Amino acid sequence: MPLDFLKRKKDDDPAQPAHPTAATTGPAVLPEEVVAQDFQLKLYYAGKTSEGVRMRTGPNAMAELPGMLVGLAKSEIEVIEPLPIEFSQATPTIARPSEAMQWLNAHHVHSPIARHALVVLESIDAVDLAFDTFVCSLLDGEIDTSGYPEYNAVVGGVAAHWDEATGDMICRAVVGWGGRGVRGDTDRIGAKLLAGILTNILANQYAMGLTAVERPMPAAGRGGLVCAHCGFASAHERAFYCPKCGMRLLRG
Ligand SMILES: [Zn+2]
């Protein structure tokens, strides 16, 4: 169908009479069938998390995390710490500028691989930086010329949080992938990598064994307490343990 609306209006066209007579213009008639051009984008994000592993933790617990990706990481191993209260609304959703700005301010320092991992894993709620420390890397597949993982690349690593009941650190394996496309074998590769990470976590000298993961439920709103040990202002209202250093928070 010709795109009549793209043509100049007759009044603007010197070749046409300035004021056409009624005989040359009829009323616009709605066609019997509207011809539509369809547009669509299908984004596919997926991921997996393992059971938790309870760790016998000391003051250097967090320092153990990057080592759990040795042998699996195909890029630099990055540590993404829990977000303090000023970033409590951060979400990778560009249509919500306040949340998006918080997210960019919190994560622009990370690599394209880490940001891609966070977009995927936060979008599917597999990690929550209100309480998780996330250690991640590229695990499988390719990156594009800008350094961002392709849709079928698998990213992920270890997410750790402090168990609110015991104060133990709980580690779980996390993998994710996705974008503008999907491939049938990515799920299988992801499952294999998840098992590899869990094996590494269990092989750590401080691992005490598998445990059911009860992730803290972060409450939206005013956030929690300032850690007397490290000064971290938690966005996690119910926290008994500082998400950043794991020390017990003192209630005022
Ligand atoms: Zn602290």
Side-chain angles (χ1 to χ4, degrees):
M1 164 162 287
L3 298 173
D4 284 319
F5 66 88
L6 290 177
K7 290 182 181 169
R8 282 199 290 174
K9 283 190 292 184
K10 284 182 178 169
D11 281 5
D12 301 333
D13 190 333
Q16 297 290 329
H19 298 285
T21 63
T24 60
T25 52
V29 179
L30 188 69
E32 279 181 34
E33 197 176 330
V34 175
V35 177
Q37 293 185 45
D38 293 327
F39 301 84
Q40 98 179 170
L41 165 65
K42 288 189 176 177
L43 285 176
Y44 178 89
Y45 291 155
K48 298 174 186 291
T49 70
S50 73
E51 289 177 273
V53 177
R54 190 174 296 278
M55 311 296 289
R56 186 172 53 245
T57 47
N60 297 319
M62 290 297 178
E64 294 289 316
L65 298 176
M68 297 172 185
L69 292 186
V70 169
L72 295 168
K74 293 183 124 187
S75 68
E76 182 198 348
I77 298 168
E78 285 178 74
V79 179
I80 302 165
E81 296 186 330
L83 294 181
I85 182 83
E86 62 263 34
F87 299 120
S88 60
Q89 303 296 312
T91 44
T93 310
I94 199 166
R96 298 170 182 260
S98 170
E99 290 89 334
M101 282 303 293
Q102 280 194 16
W103 194 90
L104 284 172
N105 285 332
H107 299 306
H108 68 91
V109 294
H110 297 303
S111 75
I113 290 167
R115 271 197 303 279
H116 172 83
L118 287 175
V119 168
V120 171
L121 295 168
E122 288 189 86
S123 298
I124 62 176
D125 204 25
V127 298
D128 189 335
L129 295 179
F131 48 82
D132 279 328
T133 297
F134 182 46
V135 178
C136 79
S137 167
L138 181 72
L139 301 172
D140 185 77
E142 305 296 326
I143 55 174
D144 67 17
T145 50
S146 304
Y148 288 86
E150 302 284 1
Y151 69 91
N152 59 336
V154 180
V155 292
V158 178
H161 70 271
W162 303 93
D163 179 18
E164 289 295 289
T166 63
D168 292 336
M169 189 168 75
I170 310 289
C171 292
R172 62 192 195 282
V174 180
V175 296
W177 60 91
R180 297 183 176 201
V182 59
R183 256 178 58 170
D185 58 347
T186 312
D187 192 280
R188 183 182 54 78
I189 295 166
K192 197 170 155 224
L193 286 162
L194 190 80
I197 299 166
L198 184 61
T199 301
N200 281 6
I201 298 172
L202 284 166
N204 185 273
Q205 57 180 328
Y206 298 116
M208 293 192 288
L210 292 174
T211 183
V213 178
E214 284 192 42
R215 292 168 68 189
M217 295 299 294
R222 59 196 158 83
L225 299 158
V226 176
C227 177
H229 307 280
C230 73
F232 182 78
S234 174
H236 177 201
E237 195 168 338
R238 284 181 54 218
F240 290 117
Y241 297 93
C242 172
K244 189 164 182 177
C245 75
M247 299 294 281
R248 191 162 176 92
L249 292 168
L250 303 171
R251 302 216 166 231

